[in-house]
Amino acid sequence: MAKQNNLNQRWNTLQALVNQKKDALHGALGIQTFHIECSETVSWIREKTRLLQSTEELGSDLAGVMVLQRKLRGMENDLAAIQAKLDELQKEADQLAEEHPEEAEAIRQRFAQINECWRELKIILQERDAAMAEARELQQFLRDLDDFQSWLSKTQTAIASEDIPESLSEAEKLLNQHAAIKEEIDGYDQDYARMRDMGQRVTEGQTDAQYMFLRQRLQALDDGWEELHKMWENRQSLLSQSLNYQMFLRDARQADMLLNKQDNFLAKHEKPVNLEAAEEAIKRQENLLQTMDANDDKINAVINFGHRLCDENHYEADKIYKKCENLDERRKKNRQNADEQLAKLRDDLLLQGFLQESDEIGLWISEKMLIAQDETYDEARSIHSKWQKHQAFEAELQANKERLDKLNEHGHVLSSEKPEFAEQVEGRLGDLSAQWDQLDDRTQSKAKKLFEANRAALFTQGCDDLDNWINDLEVQITHEDHGKDLTTVNNLLKKQQMLETQVIVKKEQVNELEASVTGLQDEGDLDKVKKKKYDIEDRFHRLAEPLAQRKALLEANQKTQKFNRDIEDEKLWIQEKMPQATSLNHGNSLLAVQMLIKKNNSLKAEVDGHEPRISEVSERGTEMVEAGHPNSEDIDRQISELQDMWKRLLYAVDARKFRLADSQKAQQYYFDANEAEAWMSEQELYMMGDERGRDEPSAQTMLKKHEILENAVEDYADTINELSQEAKKLMDEAHPQSEQIAVRQSQIDKLYAGLKDLAEERRARLDETLKLYQLNREVDDLEQWIAEREVVAGSHELGQDYEHVTMLQDRFQEFARDTQSIGQERVATVNEIADQLIDAGHTDAAIIAEWKDGLNEAWADLLELIDTRTQMLAASYELHKFYYDAREILGRINEKQQAMSEELGKDANTVKNLQRKHSGFEHDILALGAQVQQLQDDASRLRSAYAGEKARDIQGKEAEVVNAWRNLQAMVDGRKVKLSDTADYYRFLNLVRDLILWMDDVTIQINTQERARDVSGVELLMNQHQNIKAEIDARDDSFTECFTLGKEMLSRSHYASREIREKLVGLGNRRGSMINDWEHRWEFLQLILEVYQFARDAHVAEAWLLSQEPYLRSDDYGDTLDEVELYIKKHEAFEKSFHAQEERFGALERLTTYELKEMRKRQEEEYRRMHPDADIPPAKESPPMKHRVIEDFLREEKEMEEKDRLRREMIEIEEARRRDFPQEKIQVEKTPSHEAREEKRESGGEPVVNGDEETPSGARTTPPKRGEGEAGLGEEVENEGPLGRKHEWETHDKKASNRSWHHVYVVQQGVNLAFYKDKKHKLQEIYFHGEEPVKLANAEVTIADDYTKKKHVFRLKLESGGEFLFQAKDDDEMNSWVEGLKTVAEGSEEGASAAARAATFPTESVTSPGKKEKKKGGFFTLRKK
């Protein structure tokens, strides 16, 4: 058992060893197998490495490189197997290293060796791959470079063509082909950029000779590419210049045609023979200038285009420049000729106007010459009435003298500016001047005779007045009173000045007597007249010397009185000073002595200060003596007495000075101060006195005395200063009583200041007293003068007739002027003095105010008397003059009524002549109208001033004159209106005739244009056709003028309304026919243009297809790889070119306008065949060239005709009902239009036609006026007229921005209220400030009683919150508007539901005739680059 166990143990051990050995052998086997596999793998890798190393030769062409690349791709597959083997070895190595750690290092080293070989292989493979890729890329680049250079050479050869197009179509064709080449070049841009970048990468850093050669090829490629672009640009520039040149030639031919037309028109110039022909020629010339202005833009465009081509150095610059110069020269020459012809025509117009005006004035002068030669004035009842009538005739001549002066001025200006007309103009002016001078001489002769007949009475009356005045003046001169004192002398001098003023005025009247005597030489009692004149002149001249003597005596007496007053004053002054100078009191103390010395010094100062006054008075008296004064002895005696008294005073003053000097001693300050105080106290007592003087002389004397005292007070200031210096000296010496001295000096200074104040107060009181006495004197003199004037102003004589009252009025006016001119100045002077005294606070201000009020009352009474007298004379004058003027005016009105013609003229020329004559006639009666107006004003004033029979007589005379004048005005206005209507009618016919002739010419141009053969020809025809359109547009203003004139004449019910309406309708239809012809021709040209464009584009496309067809039909696809790749490149280039042509072929596939129309036509036919009862909406077409005014007029005429037709039908129905069935209600068969009308009426969608409702009696209401504008489409004008308007509110909470009053023309049409500036704007449908009509629905209309700034105002409040104020001319018009607007506003609510139902139906859109859609380009038109 033990052995068995041992055996078993050993067996187990052996078995374990065997297993262990087995495992070791397996492990060794695995390791060896790993090593063998590693060796085999290394051998495999090295074999692949050798194989890769054997491919170092890359090949010399692209095919060899591609073979090597295929080999490398096979090796890459083998390397994938090696990579898988390495992965297995990696796993096996990891497992063995884990199982056999002792061999792990060797295993890892072995595997690391394999990895190293593998990395080397991969590096070599990558290097070979990169080298092969570079080699392939290089070879590919070289082949692409060869292909690109080949294409480049071929394209350069195609561009290098030097063919020059000979026509516009050929130029467009070549330019399109050249554009296709550009598209091809642009397609090679990316290839060129790619090759250029590749070449730079390949040759960068290479120094081999082959790479240097490649670099040179690349440089040649760049140069060739740039040269290709330059060649294309040059060719493009050449072709563009060729195209521009052909376009320039086309436009130049068109410009030549326009200039040829202008030449033909200018060559037909004719000189006008009358004013109307000149106006017509100017109108035609202006139309030519308008056409030239329209053509100038086209010609300028051609010239500018040519200059631009020359500036761009066009190869045909010389020819283009010459052509441009030729066009410009012809254009300027035509413009110059046209301007010269227009200037000549305007000169002719001025000449013809001058000649016609001169003829009219000559005829007027002839008519007035007949009146001036009328000698029937001898049969008149009164010389004065004859003279007044002739003065009216002279006033009429003077009123028309301005016409002759203006004509002379016009003629002289015309002669100076236009010497060629000088002879004709000067001759005509000479004739007119001679006729006018003859008329003027005849008028003056007649006036002279009448004046001489009236002059004698005036002369006698003037002589009597002067004689009476001289008598009064002689009485005043002989008055011996020369004044007793200075005051009375001054008053007499003032009266003397007034007399001299009157003498100057009367001297002029005396001089006028000489002229009156000269005019009375034909009188029988000429000697008596001259003697009376000489007597008056002699008496008047003898007055001069007495007046001068009296003036000299008064002046001498004034000097004497003044001298006497002054010398008496001086004597009194000397007498006052003499006692002081001769006093024997020398004082008994030092203080008294000093006081006396100071008084004597003061006296001396006063005497020295008064010496100039004494000298002045003495010198004045000596001058009077030397001048031979009558009282010279008395004056000389008084001067001697004054000099003796003055000498005695001087001697006395000097003697006292010496006597006091002997006794003068030093005295203390207190004595000096007491003396000063005593003196000032003495003067103060005098200054405080209340004496004012009894009269003016005493007041003047007291004032002079006070002036002397004031001078003494002022002079005493030196004494006060000396006293102050003495006090200061004592205080400086430190006197023991310095403080008392200072206090004393201060008292003296205050006392002196108070003395000066008192002196000023006393002087003021004396001045007031003197001014009061002077004022009193002036007031007394003026009141006396006023009393004298009141006697004359209170006369009650008013005159017996017109001449007598005229004489009284003239004499009293002269009296009033003298009184007011003299009295106003004197009263104003006195009032001014009184006001100054009162304002200055005069103590007697109450007395002064009383004097002033009394004087003003007296002056006011005098003025009131003068005014009353003036009014009474004026009233009497107005009454007598009123009756006289009424008789004269009635006579002249009857003359004018008989002189008015009733001829209307047979053509425009005669109508204009009659209008000018009528204008002259109106100018003649302007003065008569002013006289009538003045007569009415006079009558109105007289009626308010008179009552009873006199007032009724005045009113009857006024009514007679006013009725006659109104009849004359009515006749004048009626004739003026008739002449204006006739002139407008002939002007309208001329406009219609001109427009019809022009439309005939335009229609011929439209229908006789040549046929085109290519695109450029069609474009030329289209440009010509557009020129016709421009000419048509240029004539729109003429059509507007014609239709506006026609409609205006129709609106005022012209007597030829039927002919005017027919002319307007025919003219509008004729224009519509012309526009249709133009549009049909334009559509035809557009279709032809599309056809030719399609043919041109199709030809280009076909040429391209033919050029590409050989390539597409080729069966050669290449025998080698290089050829195949070359064909691929060519095919790619073909595809690029094909894509570039797709847009062109797509355009060819689109349908033309003609094809679209045909297709639509077939569709409509098919639709009608399938739906025979359906309506096909018309195709939208471009709106024609409508004229708004013409179309609106034609539309209105059609509407009017339709309304008239319906009204006639209704009248016929009503008449048939009344005639056949008077008692029964019949059912009338209605026409389709009438049934439709009835249906609309029943539905509330349309009002009754023209407002003609059936009434029980069958009466027909008068149709209202037709409305104008958008606001009244389909509605009648219920009310219209001018009103004042103010916009208050825009909405309920927003006020209007402009709340000013404006005058507007208001039109109420149904529920619409439209505003226009005036009736003319209403006809032209131009709203006021562009405002839309307002709706009257639910509006509120009331009279604006709360608005008080204006009268006749009513208010309109709209439903939207807007509010307006309107002002009518009177209450009737206001009530009419208020009732009409209320009716519409209240009735609009009833029709609101029906209107709402009518508004739900669709409306047909209407294209505005004023707009025109832009014509789109053809489907086959290529864009030009």
Side-chain angles (χ1 to χ4, degrees), residues 567-586:
I567 204 165
E568 290 295 331
D569 292 341
E570 299 306 322
K571 286 181 180 181
L572 289 174
W573 185 84
I574 292 174
Q575 290 174 1
E576 289 176 358
K577 300 301 178 185
M578 184 60 73
Q580 185 179 355
T582 57
S583 176
L584 299 177
N585 182 18
H586 300 154

Side-chain angles (χ1 to χ4, degrees), residues 26-36 96 100 102-103 107:
H26 280 293
L29 179 61
I31 291 172
Q32 292 302 321
T33 303
F34 173 74
H35 286 297
I36 292 171
L96 290 176
H100 304 284
E102 68 281 2
E103 296 293 335
I107 292 171

Side-chain angles (χ1 to χ4, degrees), residues 1138-1168:
F1138 176 77
H1139 290 307
Q1141 297 292 330
E1142 283 183 352
E1143 183 179 357
R1144 181 174 299 172
F1145 282 99
L1148 290 173
E1149 293 175 358
R1150 289 193 290 268
L1151 298 178
T1152 63
T1153 303
Y1154 179 76
E1155 292 171 330
L1156 290 173
K1157 288 185 176 180
E1158 291 296 326
M1159 181 182 296
R1160 178 176 175 82
K1161 184 177 180 181
R1162 290 195 297 271
Q1163 291 175 354
E1164 291 177 356
E1165 293 176 354
E1166 181 66 21
Y1167 186 80
R1168 288 193 183 95

Side-chain angles (χ1 to χ4, degrees), residues 1282-1288 1296-1306 1315-1317 1328-1329 1331 1350 1364-1367:
L1283 293 175
R1285 190 195 74 172
K1286 180 178 182 182
H1287 194 179
E1288 290 282 302
S1297 58
N1298 185 2
R1299 295 191 293 277
S1300 302
W1301 282 95
H1302 299 281
H1303 291 285
V1304 296
Y1305 193 83
V1306 185
F1315 307 107
Y1316 305 90
K1317 182 179 180 181
F1328 182 71
H1329 291 173
E1331 300 175 0
K1350 291 181 179 291
F1364 295 88
L1365 290 177
F1366 295 96
Q1367 183 189 18

Side-chain angles (χ1 to χ4, degrees), residues 695-762:
D695 52 14
E696 183 179 356
S698 62
Q700 290 180 348
T701 302
M702 293 183 68
L703 183 61
K704 289 182 179 180
K705 290 180 180 179
H706 185 73
E707 289 177 353
I708 296 171
L709 290 177
E710 278 188 328
N711 293 333
V713 172
E714 292 294 335
D715 295 339
Y716 201 72
D718 297 335
T719 303
I720 299 300
N721 290 333
E722 291 176 0
L723 186 61
S724 177
Q725 291 176 1
E726 185 67 24
K728 184 178 180 182
K729 180 179 179 182
L730 292 174
M731 287 185 292
D732 292 340
E733 293 175 354
H735 195 278
Q737 296 184 0
S738 298
E739 295 181 0
Q740 291 84 351
I741 292 172
V743 171
R744 186 61 176 169
Q745 182 62 37
S746 174
Q747 292 175 354
I748 294 298
D749 292 339
K750 291 180 180 178
L751 186 60
Y752 181 71
L755 179 61
K756 292 181 70 175
D757 293 339
L758 288 174
E760 292 177 358
E761 292 176 0
R762 180 167 177 76

Side-chain angles (χ1 to χ4, degrees), residues 51-310:
L51 182 59
L52 287 175
Q53 291 176 350
S54 64
T55 60
E56 292 181 358
E57 294 296 334
L58 298 177
S60 58
D61 55 4
L62 181 61
V65 173
M66 293 178 67
V67 171
L68 290 178
Q69 280 188 328
R70 284 194 291 272
K71 289 181 179 180
L72 288 177
R73 283 196 291 271
M75 289 183 182
E76 289 176 355
N77 296 330
D78 294 341
L79 291 180
I82 294 175
Q83 181 64 44
K85 184 64 176 178
L86 289 176
D87 293 338
E88 292 178 359
L89 290 177
Q90 177 68 36
K91 293 179 181 179
E92 187 175 357
D94 293 338
Q95 184 178 1
L96 290 176
E98 183 179 358
E99 293 177 355
H100 304 284
E102 68 281 2
E103 296 293 335
E105 184 65 26
I107 292 171
R108 283 195 290 273
Q109 290 180 359
R110 190 66 175 173
F111 191 77
Q113 181 182 4
I114 295 173
N115 283 334
E116 183 66 25
C117 294
W118 175 245
R119 282 196 298 274
E120 292 178 359
L121 177 60
K122 289 198 295 184
I123 291 171
I124 293 173
L125 181 60
Q126 291 176 357
E127 292 177 353
R128 296 308 294 163
D129 282 338
M132 292 305 295
E134 291 179 359
R136 177 183 173 82
E137 188 176 5
L138 177 60
Q139 295 299 328
Q140 184 69 37
F141 168 71
L142 293 175
R143 190 177 71 176
D144 292 343
L145 182 60
D146 293 338
D147 294 340
F148 192 81
Q149 286 182 334
S150 175
W151 171 84
L152 188 62
S153 299
K154 182 180 67 173
T155 307
Q156 288 178 346
T157 302
I159 294 176
S161 175
E162 297 182 355
D163 295 338
I164 302 298
E166 298 297 334
S167 64
L168 183 60
S169 59
E170 185 179 355
E172 292 176 346
K173 177 181 178 181
L174 292 178
L175 197 60
N176 290 333
Q177 294 176 356
H178 196 65
I181 295 176
K182 178 62 175 175
E183 294 175 358
E184 186 177 358
I185 293 173
D186 293 340
Y188 278 89
D189 277 343
Q190 295 181 355
D191 296 340
Y192 168 73
R194 185 174 64 255
M195 283 188 294
R196 195 169 182 277
D197 295 339
M198 183 64 185
Q200 290 179 356
R201 289 199 305 271
V202 170
T203 58
E204 186 177 4
Q206 300 294 333
T207 58
D208 188 78
Q210 293 182 355
Y211 287 99
M212 296 296 292
F213 176 70
L214 180 59
R215 188 176 292 112
Q216 293 177 358
R217 289 188 63 188
L218 289 174
Q219 184 63 38
L221 178 65
D222 292 339
D223 296 340
W225 181 256
E226 293 179 359
E227 183 179 0
L228 176 64
H229 279 81
K230 290 180 180 179
M231 291 175 65
W232 189 90
E233 293 292 341
N234 293 335
R235 180 65 175 172
Q236 175 70 15
S237 175
L238 178 63
L239 293 176
S240 298
Q241 289 182 356
S242 300
L243 178 63
N244 291 334
Y245 180 62
Q246 296 299 328
M247 293 172 65
F248 171 77
L249 293 178
R250 179 197 65 189
D251 296 340
R253 288 192 295 270
Q254 184 178 358
D256 284 331
M257 294 174 60
L258 297 176
L259 292 173
N260 291 334
K261 290 182 179 179
Q262 296 175 7
D263 292 337
N264 295 332
F265 184 87
L266 293 173
K268 299 178 181 178
H269 176 67
E270 295 180 358
K271 187 176 181 65
V273 295
N274 53 40
L275 182 62
E276 289 72 20
E279 292 176 348
E280 186 66 23
I282 287 176
K283 185 175 182 181
R284 292 197 301 269
Q285 194 72 13
E286 288 176 347
N287 291 336
L288 172 64
L289 289 174
Q290 291 179 358
T291 306
M292 292 178 71
D293 291 337
N295 294 334
D296 278 348
D297 295 336
K298 302 179 180 64
I299 299 175
N300 286 331
V302 176
I303 295 174
N304 294 333
F305 183 48
H307 288 164
R308 181 167 61 84
L309 295 181
C310 294

